Amino acid sequence: MGQIWLERLLRWQAKLQKLLIGRYARMDQLNRFLLRVCLILLIVNLFLPTTSAFWLAAALLIWMNFRFFSKKIYPRLNENTRFLTKQKQLSNYFQRKKTQFEARKTYKYFKCPSCKQQLRAPKGKGKIKVTCSSCKHQFYKNV
């Protein structure tokens, strides 16, 4: 009896492998993110009187399955690379804001009026002459 189930399982696995040949078939970072958002939306849907979160979760699941079973491998890789780039930019932005918040008592943060470069100066120095490190523009700032 156990031998029959093992053979069926092996045949099913062979069929699945044959189906996935030439397809993207990866749970990359973008697909994992979509899956997490779907799960969160489905949990939120339990507490909402409308089904809008459910339909949004269903659309994300369809998109995730489309990406998984797609035969266009390079466009899916490019989508994941763009996602990772945006995720890294967002992570860097919040890391900078966290650093600025932690150093708010010792430094004053401001932008250069000409090139909008983020600059900092120690607090409590009064009126100082600031030279921008990127455009070399000089201006006075009260810190």
Side-chain angles (χ1 to χ4, degrees), residues 62-75:
I62 289 170
W63 184 27
M64 188 181 72
N65 282 317
F66 166 75
R67 291 189 76 252
F68 189 83
F69 290 109
S70 175
K71 289 189 174 185
K72 297 179 180 178
I73 295 172
Y74 292 112

Side-chain angles (χ1 to χ4, degrees), residues 2-73:
Q3 185 70 21
I4 295 171
W5 285 104
L6 183 61
E7 289 173 2
R8 286 182 183 171
L9 184 63
L10 291 174
R11 278 196 306 259
W12 182 78
Q13 184 181 11
K15 287 180 183 179
L16 187 61
Q17 286 177 346
K18 190 175 181 181
L19 171 72
L20 295 178
I21 289 175
R23 297 185 187 271
Y24 186 61
R26 294 189 183 125
M27 278 302 286
D28 57 4
Q29 289 88 349
L30 179 55
N31 272 353
R32 283 192 211 121
F33 175 75
L34 292 174
L35 184 62
R36 287 183 194 123
V37 171
C38 285
L39 291 175
I40 290 169
L41 284 173
L42 289 174
I43 291 171
V44 166
N45 185 51
L46 296 173
F47 303 107
L48 292 179
T50 64
T51 60
S52 57
F54 172 78
W55 289 112
L56 185 58
L60 290 177
L61 278 174
I62 289 170
W63 184 27
M64 188 181 72
N65 282 317
F66 166 75
R67 291 189 76 252
F68 189 83
F69 290 109
S70 175
K71 289 189 174 185
K72 297 179 180 178
I73 295 172

Side-chain angles (χ1 to χ4, degrees), residues 24-135:
Y24 186 61
R26 294 189 183 125
M27 278 302 286
D28 57 4
Q29 289 88 349
L30 179 55
N31 272 353
R32 283 192 211 121
F33 175 75
L34 292 174
L35 184 62
R36 287 183 194 123
V37 171
C38 285
L39 291 175
I40 290 169
L41 284 173
L42 289 174
I43 291 171
V44 166
N45 185 51
L46 296 173
F47 303 107
L48 292 179
T50 64
T51 60
S52 57
F54 172 78
W55 289 112
L56 185 58
L60 290 177
L61 278 174
I62 289 170
W63 184 27
M64 188 181 72
N65 282 317
F66 166 75
R67 291 189 76 252
F68 189 83
F69 290 109
S70 175
K71 289 189 174 185
K72 297 179 180 178
I73 295 172
Y74 292 112
R76 303 296 83 84
L77 286 171
N78 290 338
E79 286 172 356
N80 189 49
T81 304
R82 284 193 307 268
F83 170 73
L84 290 175
T85 303
K86 294 292 182 187
Q87 185 183 34
K88 186 68 175 171
Q89 287 173 352
L90 194 63
S91 173
N92 288 342
Y93 173 77
F94 283 115
Q95 186 64 35
R96 278 193 312 271
K97 290 298 179 186
K98 179 183 174 190
T99 304
Q100 287 178 8
F101 183 75
E102 290 171 350
R104 71 187 183 279
K105 293 185 179 181
T106 56
Y107 290 103
K108 169 110 175 166
Y109 289 90
F110 51 91
K111 293 188 180 207
C112 172
S114 67
C115 70
K116 307 299 183 216
Q117 172 73 30
Q118 185 82 18
L119 302 170
R120 74 176 187 174
K123 278 189 172 181
K125 298 290 183 183
K127 192 169 189 177
I128 59 171
K129 185 177 183 182
V130 179
T131 303
C132 178
S133 57
S134 65
C135 70

